[in-house]
């Protein structure tokens, strides 16, 4: 979906056009789900939060300003934060093969699974902010400009955060601190 089509859909959705709302939900659901899934403990929790995101989107769309993508991911990020506040639990990012393209050979699948487990453990050692940046950048594929809007930080701060997160991941792997 190009930017002009997105802007037109958002304008229609602000008038509660059911078809426009459905198209926005259909387009953003996989991205929002992927982001949430990597940030919470279970698939069920992820599905509950994603449902909340879209209910909140529909209820408040008439007030939406600026980048729709940044707006919906800010809602998503806030709901993930609320999830942890309500539960008072430590965040874990489950990186499972559900989100990784599977290769056919059993040996390759085993290698993928081991790599995913190691990556999960390494990412869990990062700060919450670094985990969010890594999830947005490398799992959802957002640009630094988009991440700066979503996280409400300057582009320079996002570049620095990305640099520190990748440096920390590199050190974790280098030192073998993946237990």
């Amino acid at each position: 979906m190009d930017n002009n089509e997105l802007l037109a859909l958002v304008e229609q959705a602000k008038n509660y056009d059911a078809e426009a709302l459905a198209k926005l939900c259909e387009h953003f659901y996989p991205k929002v789900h992927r982001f949430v899934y990597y940030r919470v403990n279970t698939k069920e929790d992820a599905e509950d939060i994603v449902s909340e995101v879209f209910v909140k989107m529909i209820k408040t769309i008439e007030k939406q300003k600026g980048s729709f993508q940044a707006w919906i991911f800010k809602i998503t990020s806030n709901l993930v934060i609320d999830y942890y506040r309500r539960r008072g639990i430590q965040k874990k990012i489950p990186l499972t093969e559900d989100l990784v393209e599977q290769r056919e050979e059993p040996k390759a699948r085993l290698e993928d699974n081991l790599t995913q487990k190691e990556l999960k453990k390494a990412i869990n050692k990062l700060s919450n902010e670094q985990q969010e940046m890594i999830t947005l950048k490398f799992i959802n594929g957002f640009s630094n400009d988009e991440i700066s809007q979503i996280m409400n930080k300057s582009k320079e701060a996002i570049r620095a955060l990305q640099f520190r997160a990748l440096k920390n991941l590199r050190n974790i792997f280098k030192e073998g601190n993946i237990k």
Side-chain angles (χ1 to χ4, degrees):
M1 175 179 309
D2 69 19
N3 199 37
N4 291 332
E5 186 179 358
L6 178 60
L7 289 172
L9 275 177
V10 169
E11 286 307 311
Q12 292 170 351
K14 285 181 178 183
N15 293 320
Y16 296 102
D17 178 302
E19 188 176 329
L21 286 166
K23 283 183 181 178
L24 286 173
C25 291
E26 184 180 313
H27 179 74
F28 281 98
Y29 183 89
K31 295 174 184 182
V32 169
H33 187 271
R34 199 169 32 247
F35 176 80
V36 174
Y37 186 77
Y38 272 83
R39 304 287 321 250
V40 300
N41 292 328
T42 67
K43 183 177 179 181
E44 293 78 17
D45 288 340
E47 290 169 358
D48 290 345
I49 292 170
V50 171
S51 294
E52 282 183 67
V53 168
F54 289 101
V55 167
K56 191 167 196 149
M57 178 201 82
I58 291 168
K59 285 182 177 179
T60 61
I61 193 150
E62 77 278 352
K63 298 175 186 173
Q64 190 276 326
K65 292 182 171 91
S67 165
F68 181 82
Q69 184 168 264
W71 179 73
I72 198 162
F73 274 92
K74 191 63 178 169
I75 291 171
T76 306
S77 183
N78 289 339
L79 287 173
V80 169
I81 290 167
D82 291 347
Y83 164 83
Y84 285 105
R85 284 184 184 148
R86 282 191 308 266
R87 285 159 182 77
I89 55 178
Q90 179 61 36
K91 177 173 35 175
K92 302 279 186 224
I93 298 180
L95 294 176
T96 65
E97 62 253 18
D98 294 348
L99 298 173
V100 177
E101 184 178 318
Q102 290 290 317
R103 291 191 256 169
E104 295 302 315
E105 316 86 47
K107 183 178 178 183
R109 282 198 311 242
L110 177 61
E111 289 171 1
D112 285 347
N113 192 27
L114 291 174
T115 303
Q116 287 296 309
K117 286 179 181 178
E118 291 172 351
L119 183 59
K120 176 187 181 221
K121 289 176 183 177
I123 289 175
N124 280 329
K125 294 179 181 283
L126 299 175
S127 71
N128 290 342
E129 193 173 60
Q130 290 175 349
Q131 289 179 22
E132 182 175 4
M133 195 287 308
I134 292 290
T135 305
L136 288 169
K137 178 75 174 182
F138 299 106
I139 294 171
N140 277 323
F142 288 116
S143 70
N144 286 355
D145 290 344
E146 292 166 324
I147 296 170
S148 76
Q149 290 178 337
I150 293 166
M151 294 183 73
N152 200 25
K153 295 187 175 293
S154 71
K155 294 173 191 172
E156 294 76 25
I158 294 300
R159 281 194 290 272
L161 181 61
Q162 179 180 336
F163 175 80
R164 285 191 309 272
L166 291 173
K167 181 180 176 190
N168 289 342
L169 277 175
R170 184 173 34 250
N171 288 338
I172 290 166
F173 280 112
K174 190 184 238 182
E175 295 168 3
N177 285 337
I178 311 170
K179 294 182 181 177

